[in-house]
Structure formats: C-alpha cells, structure tokens
Amino acid sequence: MDTAIALLTCALCVQVAVSDLYARRVSNRWLLTALALLAALLVAQGADAARWGHAALGLACAAILLPCYAIGWMGAGDVKFFAVLGALLGGAAPLLPVWIIASLLAGLHAMAVLAAPGVSARMPLGLRFALENTQARLQAWPPHQRMLAARRGRRGIPYATYLALAALLVVLQGGMAA
C-alpha cells in the first residue's frame, strides 16, 4: 500500500464526510483534485501499466451504481465519490467491502429514521416533552440554521459519509490494491 495515496484517500474521505453531513453535498472540485493528485503521484512513482489499469477499473466500477442514481436511490455525488474511491483504492476488490459496509450503515440509518416516530410515541410523557423542547431549541440555534441554509432543502441519508467511513476502514486495514 502506498502511503501517499492512502493519506490522500483519508483526507478526501474526511472532507467528503464533513461536507455531506453539513450540506448534503459532495464537491466536484475536491473529487477532481483528488484524481489529479492521484495521477501526479502515479506519474511521480513511475507506476506501471497494471497500477494505472487498476485505477481505471476502480473508476469504471461506479457504472455499477448508475442504476441506483437513475431511480433516485443515490445522489450523483455518491456515485462520483464511489468512482474516485475506486481509482484511489486501486480496483474493484477493495470497493466491495466499502460498498457493503456503507450500505449496511445506510440501512441502519434508514431503519432508525423509520422507527423514530414509533419510539417517540412510546416514550414517557416527561421524556417526550424534554426531547421536543430540545428539538425546538436546536431548530432556533444559529449554527443549525446555517447548516440548514447550506443544505438548501437537500435531505436524505448521507450515503457519501458512510462510503467515506467504510473507505477509511479499508485503508486502515491495508485493503488498498498494490
């Protein structure tokens, strides 16, 4: 595993996770910058054709997720981020655990969102009142208002964040292609 590419991957994952959580957005500028830095690192290292091929294959793996975007299950930023992760991680093999882990985390998130109203209805009245009071204060809190303004109405499960967390796990486990 190449340390410089692993650090680039980790930096991109942290940036994408923060941006996705805050604004529900994945910056094309960051994705393109990561690809340019990857290309520069591969050139500087004198990467062989196999390593370039692995990066290209990883980039192409995003095509698997295009139907998910087409039917509205994923955002375009999620698919583009997955493609860039494929290039950084070096192929299809490291992407499978990233996709599985991220999908499981997103599924748990979705189940929690769906279960929340039922849980709230079964709470003791005092606890429910305290929760509603806390939510009202949060809605009025200026940092929360800025976050909502940054989101511009975008809602949904932060799948890019879950992809980033899964990719960080794969990188930390040494799961990148050589």
Side-chain angles (χ1 to χ4, degrees):
M1 170 172 48
D2 180 78
T3 305
I5 295 174
L7 289 173
L8 172 62
T9 304
C10 290
L12 178 66
C13 286
V14 168
Q15 191 283 328
V16 165
V18 169
S19 176
D20 192 34
L21 287 172
Y22 185 75
R24 291 294 191 269
R25 219 173 122 56
V26 177
S27 169
N28 289 340
R29 183 176 299 136
W30 281 96
L31 297 177
L32 291 172
T33 300
L35 285 176
L37 289 171
L38 173 64
L41 286 169
L42 292 178
V43 167
Q45 295 170 352
D48 61 0
R51 179 58 179 105
W52 283 97
H54 285 177
L57 176 63
L59 196 60
C61 282
I64 295 168
L65 297 181
L66 286 176
C68 295
Y69 166 69
I71 59 177
W73 290 353
M74 292 177 67
D78 302 334
V79 175
K80 291 182 284 189
F81 180 49
F82 190 75
V84 173
L85 282 176
L88 290 167
L89 296 176
L95 283 179
L96 184 59
V98 169
W99 179 69
I100 291 171
I101 293 167
S103 295
L104 289 172
L105 291 172
L108 288 172
H109 184 138
M111 288 184 349
V113 167
L114 292 173
V119 170
S120 176
R122 290 182 178 89
M123 281 184 185
L125 190 58
L127 183 57
R128 190 176 342 154
F129 179 72
L131 179 63
E132 290 170 0
N133 187 26
T134 302
Q135 288 174 336
R137 288 181 182 211
L138 177 65
Q139 293 296 326
W141 192 40
H144 187 264
Q145 292 295 319
R146 287 191 296 275
M147 181 187 73
L148 292 177
R151 287 185 179 178
R152 297 182 186 162
R154 290 184 292 266
R155 298 175 45 160
I157 294 172
Y159 192 65
T161 299
Y162 294 130
L163 286 171
L165 291 174
L168 285 170
L169 286 172
V170 167
V171 169
L172 293 175
Q173 292 295 317
M176 295 174 65

